[in-house]
Amino acid sequence: MFDDILINFGLNVSEYHIRPFGSGLINYTYKISGANHSYILQQINVAVFKRPDHIDSNLVLIKEYFDKHNPGYLFVAPLKNQKGKSIIQAADGKFYRLFPFIEGSHTVNFLQDTKEAYSAAVQFGRFTRLLNHFDISKLEYTLTDFHNLKLRVAQFEQALKTAEPRKLEQAAKEVKAADDHINILHTYNLFTTNNEIPLRVIHHDTKINNVLFDKDQNALCIVDLDTVMPGYYLSDVGDMMRTYLSPANEEEKDLDKIIIRTDFFRAIYKGYMSEMSNILTETEKQYFTFSGKLMIYMQGLRFLTDFLNNDIYYGTQYEGHNLIRAKNQFKLLEGYINAEPVFAEIIAGVDKELLTTANGI
Ligand code: GN1
Ligand code: MG
């Protein structure tokens, strides 16, 4: 398996062994382990990413930019094969990339310490900050309308029309929750039409298993770069809220385990702002807390839509998996909304701290 790919990259097949790797829901990932070097091989899911060449051209451009402006920055770009190509179509007709495996790194599916949240938030903030002067018009949209809530609501409404009655019954509570929180769409429409909210280079999938950590739980770098494209910073901050605040993640069936850890909110705010506070406009900053509502709601809708559509998008392991995920996300959304007054206090507190430090008081 994959012999032709390894040969294509000049690797000696007999020196490596291959096993599935990671817990992504979209692409298929493998670790290629050797005595001296290891690699990550990833097959692009073309049912989702229809233009793998667009992913590739974005990453090539960004890599060139970092090489020129920030050569010390750890940007884990796909390796080039012997013909200088960083994406290849293998004998099986599928598209693959090979990445260097970052030695000494590991990923986590849960955050146990605010230090991890802080450190990951610094990494995502740094990425966007370092690319602040990158010409975003050069980037392709690898997934059109990816975080467009208007579209996600429309897709959900369409699914309501075509779903089997049995599924609509099972999901009645979540369908109501989706409706109850439709004000999130109204706020979303306000900021997308506000021209003080610029498009930036955004990662768009900041969940914690897209960060590599060292043994001391310091974030080394960010990975899973296929959705790097122009977008709003709310996408990145919001998905951190969605995936870092609760000790139980989107797979958790026991909804009592979904709680909001406000000290993790503080860590995300401090970490992200340590990189981005001088870059974000005042208007953007006003939406910091809203970002979490936006992304949790959107993810709840996406899981629910996929459940109603008979699981055509996300990988699932059991009957009703996407409905469980949707229930989970709506529970998280409730908790998040309840914690908003605390979030406001945290932001005020951290801002005061930063001001005091800045003034040398
Ligand atoms: C997908 O590929 P993965 O598992 O990192 C999805 C994200 C969702 C996430 C939910 C391209 O990310 O948008 O937030 O699942 N990526 C795509 O776990 O749809
Ligand atoms: Mg991933």
Side-chain angles (χ1 to χ4, degrees), residues 102 143 154 162 194 197 278 293 341 355:
I102 305 299
L143 290 173
T162 53
N194 183 331
I197 311 250
N278 293 333
K293 274 204 293 207
L355 207 66

Side-chain angles (χ1 to χ4, degrees), residues 106 108 110-122 208 211 213 216-219 244 264 267:
H106 68 276
V108 297
F110 304 92
L111 290 115
Q112 301 189 358
D113 200 318
T114 52
K115 176 180 162 181
E116 294 162 331
Y118 176 84
S119 185
V122 167
I208 198 61
V211 179
F213 286 95
D216 301 315
Q217 295 309 80
N218 292 310
Y244 302 1
F264 280 70

Side-chain angles (χ1 to χ4, degrees), residues 24 205 207 209-210 224:
D205 193 6
K207 65 181 179 183
N209 59 24
N210 288 331
D224 214 350

